[in-house]
Amino acid sequence: MIRPAVLALAAALILPPLLPPFYVTLAAYVGLAAIVATGLVLLTGISGQTSFGQASFVGIAAYAAALLDGRPFTGLLAGLAAAGVVAWLLGFITARLSGHFLALCSVAWGLSFYSLFGTLPWLHGFNGIGGIAALPFAPGPRAGLAVVWAVVALGLWGAQNLLDSRSGRALRALNGARLMAESMGVDTVRLARGVFVLAALYAAAAGFLFAHVQRFISPTPFGLTASIEYLFMIILGGADRLAGALLGAVLVVVLRDALTDWVPRLTGAPGSYEAMAFSLLVIVMLHHAPRGVLSLLPQGRAAAPRPAAPPPPPPVQPIAAAGGEPVLLLDRISRRFGGLAANQDVSLAVHAGEIVALIGPNGAGKSTLFNIASGVLPPSAGSVRLFGRVLGALPARRRAALGLARTFQHVRLLQGETVRDNIALGAHLAGRAGMLRALLRLDRAEEARLRAAAEAAAARVGLADRLDTPAGDLPLGQQRIVEIARALCLTPRLLLLDEPAAGLRHLEKERLADLLRQLRASGMAVLLVEHDMGFVMRLADRVVVMDFGQTIAAGPPAQVRADPAVRDAYLGGVA
Ligand code: ADP
Ligand code: MG
């Protein structure tokens, strides 16, 4: 598959000398829209934050360019800075919001900026500002077109780099998997704000070019309607792919232009029938391709060649023993959900080099205890001591940084992403490169290191030959193993596994048990919830039994198995 950035670069070289005069302007509009849409794919399609306000960022930069006419470089910097600062401030409010709230918020600021553009006296209201100079290095419309498409190519190249990076993986997780991402150490609020600013900067770059290419601006192209059109573009093209931004920009801009031209001729009547015709077409297209027109094409997933033989698993690095102090100490933890006591006075310790199994019937409160230990839920009472520190309200991502890794009872993977990318998310904290470095491709050495870590973790759990498979294509049991590999990528000292063997076949369970024994031998502390009694009894050093939110027994497997209370409450006399 040809990269969209390459297509855009080809357009920058081929279109300007070849297009008939009328189409030069149209092609420039397509390019400008594609720049905004590229930012919007990152923001909405990839990170799941819907914005109905992108046109206001275009406007802010366009007005900055118009006001600083004659000093285009200053105008560009001022436009980017103004849009960036406004986005950063808005991001403060919106980064924590999601879904409808964020969308509504963006409608509000979209409307406010539109009315500001129309009413501030020094912006000349709806008369607009004319006579803006062309770019000094691109005097004519054809040169302007070339510059626009060169910027499209640059923007797509940067976005492609970003998606292919540590931040890109984390961005994908923002879309519906924030809790998981936080557990892997991702600062999701900061990242959401970052991509919001980035999308605004893309819009601002388009605004600057718009002012100097069209050489006249007024509030109309920066209103809510325009913002909605940008959203249409990515939805029609395919919001989760950069090519979707390109295709969507072509579709929407050309279609609208054609309809404005043809509908009045066909109907022979004045009136905005073209808007209706446009909406009808959008509905028809979405009906046939709800995931964007691009999804109609056969999928060209770059199938990497499979390694002939999987590399041998790397040796397990020994972890410095933590002395006699427990790695995790839960002290009289209680947790209520309304009137329900999910945990009551539960105490539990896990030491380095020890596997502790937590068992008990469904609803006993095991997962709740995991969530409290990992910082996903605050306890109602009691304290969590991790690696010798009392944690208070330390968030999940900070606990991950201390060396706690976990899996989830209900698998939380990015289903459409490859096994490699899913596992590499666990290596997030092993890297430092931010979005800017990723955009400019200055993160390659680090990225190679993170991928190698992911591949090593995959090899260790026996997934070396599935690295390029989308995680969602694996059977559920294998998906659990992917989660374990992702957790191992964090190089944890404490591993919490919530029902890791559920859905595994007998041999796979044996392999998992072997892996856990290896990890134990390396000094890792493992706490696991499991229902398969045979598995637990063979593996665990100690077993803790919960029922109705309370600990009813604890001790070595043989002792717990013989405990009459356990037999009555849980094992039903079968063990
Ligand atoms: P287990 O993992 O042992 O099956 P859980 O910890 O998931 O048990 O659940 C313990 C009890 O707490 C159950 O009755 C469950 O319905 C309730 N519970 C768990 N999480 C929540 C929540 N977020 N809100 C309300 N009730 C919850
Ligand atoms: Mg559970």
Side-chain angles (χ1 to χ4, degrees):
M1 275 242 293
I2 305 173
R3 290 267 161 114
V6 177
L7 277 179
L9 190 62
L13 296 173
I14 297 167
L15 294 183
L18 292 186
L19 280 184
F22 170 74
Y23 293 105
V24 169
T25 315
L26 190 65
Y29 284 150
V30 171
L32 292 168
I35 298 169
V36 185
T38 302
L40 203 52
V41 162
L42 295 176
L43 180 68
T44 303
I46 303 292
S47 323
Q49 308 180 71
T50 306
S51 162
F52 285 90
Q54 291 314 97
S56 31
F57 299 120
V58 182
I60 288 171
Y63 275 102
L67 294 176
L68 289 164
D69 190 19
R71 279 174 293 164
F73 188 65
T74 317
L76 173 62
L77 288 187
L80 289 174
V85 167
V86 169
W88 195 78
L89 291 174
L90 285 171
F92 241 89
I93 315 166
T94 55
R96 279 170 204 279
L97 301 178
S98 55
H100 306 314
F101 295 107
L102 171 60
L104 279 177
C105 214
S106 70
V107 170
W109 89 66
L111 288 173
S112 339
F113 276 103
Y114 178 65
S115 78
L116 263 189
F117 297 144
T119 48
L120 286 179
W122 42 284
L123 298 184
H124 303 279
F126 284 87
N127 295 327
I129 303 176
I132 303 167
L135 290 171
F137 50 89
R142 286 179 191 275
L145 176 64
V147 172
V148 166
W149 277 90
V151 175
V152 176
L154 199 65
L156 285 168
W157 177 76
Q160 184 66 55
N161 292 342
L162 178 62
L163 288 181
D164 190 23
S165 76
R166 166 180 183 265
S167 300
R169 284 187 289 274
L171 281 177
R172 291 193 175 93
L174 285 186
N175 193 358
R178 287 195 179 201
L179 193 149
M180 178 274 284
E182 286 276 329
S183 299
M184 298 300 131
V186 178
D187 187 341
T188 55
V189 171
R190 192 166 159 225
L191 191 71
R193 198 183 306 148
V195 70
F196 188 66
V197 171
L198 183 66
L201 293 180
Y202 270 84
F208 167 81
L209 291 172
F210 180 86
H212 286 291
V213 168
Q214 169 159 293
R215 307 180 61 184
F216 165 79
I217 59 170
S218 71
T220 314
F222 312 131
L224 196 57
T225 317
S227 285
I228 292 174
E229 274 189 13
Y230 292 127
L231 272 177
F232 269 157
M233 287 175 201
I234 65 161
I235 293 169
L236 281 181
D240 55 352
R241 269 164 298 176
L242 292 172
L246 207 52
L247 181 63
V250 175
L251 278 176
V252 169
V253 175
V254 171
L255 210 66
R256 194 192 41 200
D257 187 77
L259 290 174
T260 320
D261 216 24
W262 281 98
V263 171
R265 285 195 217 178
L266 290 178
T267 57
S272 300
Y273 291 110
E274 67 268 16
M276 259 187 206
F278 181 74
S279 348
L280 267 178
L281 272 174
V282 169
I283 292 170
V284 169
M285 281 199 264
L286 285 182
H287 190 74
H288 285 282
R291 288 194 55 238
V293 175
L294 262 190
S295 66
L296 296 179
L297 302 177
Q299 270 290 2
R301 234 176 224 289
R306 287 194 168 198
V316 179
Q317 296 296 322
I319 300 169
E325 193 180 358
V327 168
L328 173 69
L329 182 64
L330 300 175
D331 189 21
R332 280 170 297 152
I333 296 284
S334 295
R335 170 73 206 197
R336 309 190 67 82
F337 292 111
L340 177 91
N343 288 158
Q344 292 179 60
D345 255 346
V346 181
S347 296
L348 183 152
V350 189
H351 298 80
E354 182 184 40
I355 298 179
V356 176
L358 190 57
I359 65 172
N362 277 328
K366 306 178 298 293
S367 293
T368 302
L369 203 62
F370 261 46
N371 287 336
I372 289 169
S374 64
V376 168
L377 274 178
S380 310
S383 71
V384 178
R385 229 179 136 82
L386 189 66
F387 311 122
R389 290 176 50 176
V390 176
L391 295 185
L394 198 72
R397 70 164 193 284
R398 302 276 302 280
R399 294 181 196 214
L402 290 177
L404 181 157
R406 68 168 296 182
T407 64
F408 296 86
Q409 178 179 349
H410 304 288
V411 171
R412 295 182 192 225
L413 292 174
L414 306 179
Q415 298 279 323
E417 304 303 318
T418 61
V419 167
R420 179 191 286 103
D421 277 337
N422 269 288
I423 296 178
L425 193 59
H428 189 80
L429 287 171
R432 302 197 45 82
M435 282 203 245
L436 189 65
R437 265 172 70 190
L439 272 165
L440 300 175
R441 223 174 160 73
L442 299 174
D443 62 341
R444 288 301 100 181
E446 178 185 293
E447 179 63 13
R449 195 159 54 72
L450 300 190
R451 281 166 159 258
E455 285 164 19
R460 199 194 262 182
V461 299
L463 283 171
D465 57 343
R466 308 309 293 271
L467 282 164
D468 295 300
T469 311
D473 290 1
L474 296 180
L476 194 61
Q478 293 282 301
Q479 294 191 24
R480 290 186 183 284
I481 303 293
V482 176
E483 280 216 335
I484 293 174
R486 183 177 66 194
L488 290 181
C489 246
L490 237 132
T491 54
R493 288 190 283 161
L494 169 65
L495 186 59
L496 306 185
L497 304 174
D498 202 344
E499 307 201 7
L504 292 191
R505 289 189 294 258
H506 180 70
L507 269 178
E508 293 171 328
K509 281 186 187 176
E510 287 307 304
R511 267 229 305 265
L512 176 61
D514 281 344
L515 171 69
L516 295 180
R517 286 190 192 102
Q518 270 181 41
L519 295 173
R520 168 172 63 191
S522 77
M524 198 179 290
V526 180
L527 175 64
L528 61 90
V529 168
E530 191 42 64
H531 285 298
D532 180 335
M533 280 310 117
F535 182 83
V536 164
M537 295 297 169
R538 280 196 300 278
L539 185 65
D541 300 296
R542 284 189 301 123
V543 179
V544 176
V545 189
M546 286 182 74
D547 197 15
F548 294 112
Q550 290 174 308
T551 319
I552 58 165
Q559 179 191 325
V560 165
R561 192 190 286 147
D563 191 318
V566 176
R567 285 170 172 256
D568 289 348
Y570 181 60
L571 300 175
V574 293

